[in-house]
Amino acid sequence: MTDIAADRPRAIPADMQEVRVRFAPSPTGSLHIGGAKLVMYDVLFAHGQARREGKRGTFVLRIEDTDQKRFVEGTVENLMSELRWLGLEWDEGPDVGGPCGPYVQSERTHHYKEAAEQLIASGHAYRCFCSPERLKAVREDLQKRGLPPGYDRHCRNLSPDQVQAKLDAGESHVVRFRMPREGETIVPDLLRGDITYENEKLEDLVILKSDGFPTYHLAVVVDDHEMQITHVTRGPEWIPTAPLHVRLYDALGWEMPIFAHMPLILAPTGGKLSKRHGGASLTEFREGGYLPEALLNYLALLGWSLDGETEIFTMDTLLEHFTLERVSSSPATFDRDKLDWMNQYWINHLLTVDDLATRCLPFLIDAGTIEDGPADATHPRYDDVETASALLKDRVRLLTEAPDLMSYFLQDTLPDYDAALLIPKKADAATALRALEAVASVVSDVDLADEEATEARFRALADELGLKAGQLFMPIRVAATGRTQSPGLFETLRAIGQDRVESRVAQAIDKLKATNQV
Ligand code: GLU
């Protein structure tokens, strides 16, 4: 494995005593797992470094809601509860407060206005009075001429008198950044090295809108500065506008943070991961039966690795080992099979039976497999769920499978199944019937709680009937569970219990008789 970090600068300069990172979502929809991954990397970086090096590491949550038109009610609450479900906590943020609050941009508008005024006064920004109609015409004209879209800098050189006259006339305006026309702007990126832009190709972008709200660019720079963010970790979609941010820091006379544009998560078919690929929001994964631990484990490896081999990580071991230097800049492809494998691994190897039972409860209640009640050990059916969990621990891949997989343990009646399943290989319906009638005649004398005795009795019965053990065991299994696969037959019969096994064998006999093949 090559050392991806070999020629990178160290993420933490030696004299830096505190790192501060932030996640700055716009509340425009449910939290994408790409966002969850960013949060995890922030937490691992800030808290991991605090743990390992004894320096301070702070993770800030900031809500970027300046685009009021795209605001979706309830998303902030959903985002916070989903992150907490994952076990990711912030040190400063809208609900927990902190020294740099408020942490919601719509409550900080005066900071952005002040910065915009400062930029206008220093000549780094200008008021633009172009109407939406004019901007549209400019765009169309550029398009017709095959030129890249943009603004033609029409208001860049208005004289102070012209500006004043328009202001006096009450003309609506925005504020644009005056991008230098010559030279280059360099975006230093921790993962990608220096990214160089020719200024001539950069637009004079809007930093303050006509409603007085900032655009993302101004707000993000002002807030990252005021919240003393040392490392700006965010998605790669922000790279093209990062030169404006670099210029804004310079024009405002502020020290620039370290930028680390993280790798994108791609769908298996390329492109952005979305609902089409079986879900992309954290809610969909939670409701889809994934464990937060497994999801975190999987997401950690989408762009980071310890040694290219180790696959199973707890948050604790990640906090020991995670460094930003080992994050790759290349996109990572989402692989649901791998995630499912990891979820199953966690269920099978890393959860206790008790823990699995508790996590299955809400799914079982929701599906109506067991009655409503508290989703914890005080639920009246908890012991049965625990028994089923012990037997199925190595078979559950997703918690959503629990209602189906556990139903024959937890419900009195079996859902209808095909009578043909009762007929063992190389045998016919009459053989199956003979076998089950023999079982029915002895089962009440067998103590199903004693697995060894039950097995001995049924093996002897197979001999008496002239059948192979498997030819007798299969109809018993199907009669008891309604399916051909289950945990070990005798532990399964013990868990289902004497009464239910007896009545299910009787039902299977009726089912076979109803086929008219016997
Ligand atoms: N509000 C931006 C978003 O939701 C955040 C970008 C950033 O982290 O700078 O993507």
Side-chain angles (χ1 to χ4, degrees), residues 22 24-26 62 64 216 220 224 232-234 237-238:
R22 87 302 190 269
S26 303
R62 177 175 77 225
E64 300 203 330
Y216 159 71
V220 78
D224 284 343
V232 168
T233 54
R234 61 183 169 197
E237 64 275 25
W238 299 108

Side-chain angles (χ1 to χ4, degrees), residues 253-492:
W254 294 340
E255 196 188 333
M256 208 166 50
I258 293 168
F259 291 107
H261 291 95
M262 296 291 166
L264 199 67
I265 302 181
L266 292 180
T269 46
K272 207 169 143 57
L273 184 69
S274 69
K275 212 179 169 68
R276 220 157 30 88
H277 308 100
S281 75
L282 209 48
T283 308
E284 283 164 312
F285 284 91
R286 181 172 52 73
E287 291 175 352
Y290 291 91
L291 305 181
E293 294 91 334
L295 201 53
L296 287 173
N297 189 163
Y298 179 70
L299 290 177
L301 296 173
L302 277 184
W304 174 88
S305 85
L306 176 63
D307 51 17
E309 283 167 22
T310 314
E311 293 199 297
I312 300 301
F313 289 94
T314 60
M315 227 14 216
D316 220 44
T317 52
L318 285 168
L319 282 165
E320 283 304 318
H321 295 296
F322 181 88
T323 57
L324 274 186
E325 287 93 344
R326 293 205 66 87
V327 174
S328 157
S329 59
S330 340
T333 303
F334 183 78
D335 176 351
R336 188 172 288 265
D337 290 340
K338 183 75 193 259
L339 170 61
D340 288 0
W341 170 83
M342 212 166 248
N343 207 57
Q344 178 160 27
Y345 186 94
W346 266 86
I347 290 177
N348 195 4
H349 297 284
L350 298 170
L351 288 195
T352 59
V353 169
D354 180 44
D355 202 351
L356 176 58
T358 311
R359 296 191 201 215
C360 287
L361 277 170
F363 290 89
L364 295 166
I365 292 170
D366 252 23
T369 316
I370 56 173
E371 62 271 29
D372 207 358
D376 56 35
T378 62
H379 191 286
R381 302 295 306 282
Y382 180 77
D383 289 348
D384 298 333
V385 175
E386 204 182 11
T387 305
S389 300
L391 294 180
L392 289 163
K393 204 160 171 282
D394 56 353
R395 284 168 196 255
V396 182
R397 209 169 37 108
L398 303 170
L399 298 176
T400 42
E401 296 167 351
D404 175 54
L405 283 177
M406 295 184 177
S407 63
Y408 55 83
F409 289 122
L410 298 174
Q411 297 199 298
D412 285 340
T413 50
L414 291 181
D416 196 27
Y417 61 90
D418 184 356
L421 297 180
L422 291 161
I423 304 168
K425 281 207 186 92
K426 297 190 186 146
D428 55 12
T431 312
L433 181 64
R434 192 161 58 91
L436 284 175
E437 281 178 338
V439 170
S441 66
V442 301
V443 70
S444 52
D445 296 330
V446 178
D447 177 10
L448 293 180
D450 182 343
E451 289 174 35
E452 272 179 39
T454 307
E455 179 170 357
R457 182 67 194 92
F458 285 157
R459 281 189 187 279
L461 186 63
D463 279 348
E464 288 159 30
L465 295 166
L467 295 173
K468 292 210 177 80
Q471 287 180 311
L472 178 65
F473 293 175
M474 184 52 90
I476 300 177
R477 182 190 308 277
V478 174
T481 66
R483 58 191 80 199
T484 52
Q485 290 190 345
S486 74
L489 178 60
F490 304 103
E491 53 188 3
T492 299

Side-chain angles (χ1 to χ4, degrees), residues 53-248:
E53 306 195 18
K55 296 180 176 179
R56 276 173 65 87
T58 302
F59 169 50
V60 177
L61 177 66
R62 177 175 77 225
I63 305 300
E64 300 203 330
D65 60 345
T66 55
D67 193 348
Q68 298 281 310
K69 287 196 286 293
R70 293 178 60 220
F71 181 80
V72 179
E73 198 63 44
T75 44
V76 175
E77 294 72 16
N78 171 268
L79 174 121
M80 295 207 266
S81 75
E82 294 298 25
L83 286 178
R84 290 199 163 111
W85 169 75
L86 270 183
L88 298 172
E89 295 280 344
W90 42 101
D91 307 298
E92 296 172 24
D95 56 339
V96 295
C100 302
Y103 293 90
V104 177
Q105 286 188 330
S106 57
E107 295 167 22
R108 305 173 56 81
T109 45
H110 59 285
H111 296 267
Y112 318 126
K113 278 202 186 118
E114 260 168 44
E117 291 302 334
Q118 183 187 329
L119 289 165
I120 293 173
S122 63
H124 289 100
Y126 61 91
R127 298 182 206 274
C128 165
F129 298 87
C130 291
S131 65
E133 296 74 33
R134 178 171 190 281
L135 294 174
K136 185 161 172 264
V138 169
R139 259 198 314 274
E140 285 170 0
D141 180 52
L142 289 170
Q143 205 175 9
K144 250 190 247 145
R145 289 161 43 205
L147 295 170
Y151 173 61
D152 62 358
R153 306 185 182 90
H154 184 72
C155 294
R156 184 171 163 123
N157 295 315
L158 291 180
S159 70
D161 287 347
Q162 285 172 308
V163 170
Q164 196 54 52
K166 285 175 184 290
L167 287 177
D168 291 345
E171 279 189 44
S172 143
H173 69 279
V174 301
V175 177
R176 290 182 184 271
F177 188 75
R178 188 188 301 273
M179 193 52 86
R181 301 291 309 271
E182 283 161 7
E184 292 175 335
T185 299
I186 294 175
V187 177
D189 184 283
L190 186 71
L191 310 184
R192 296 154 206 264
D194 285 354
I195 311 173
T196 306
Y197 291 83
E198 285 173 50
N199 291 338
E200 193 198 352
K201 297 200 177 128
L202 299 172
E203 228 188 302
D204 284 358
L205 289 174
V206 175
I207 55 173
L208 200 72
K209 294 180 278 188
S210 55
D211 59 4
F213 272 91
T215 58
Y216 159 71
H217 311 295
L218 181 63
V220 78
V221 167
V222 169
D223 284 349
D224 284 343
H225 170 72
E226 289 184 359
M227 295 179 183
Q228 295 158 39
I229 299 302
T230 59
H231 293 70
V232 168
T233 54
R234 61 183 169 197
E237 64 275 25
W238 299 108
I239 295 175
T241 46
L244 170 59
H245 306 168
V246 168
R247 286 282 157 196
L248 280 167

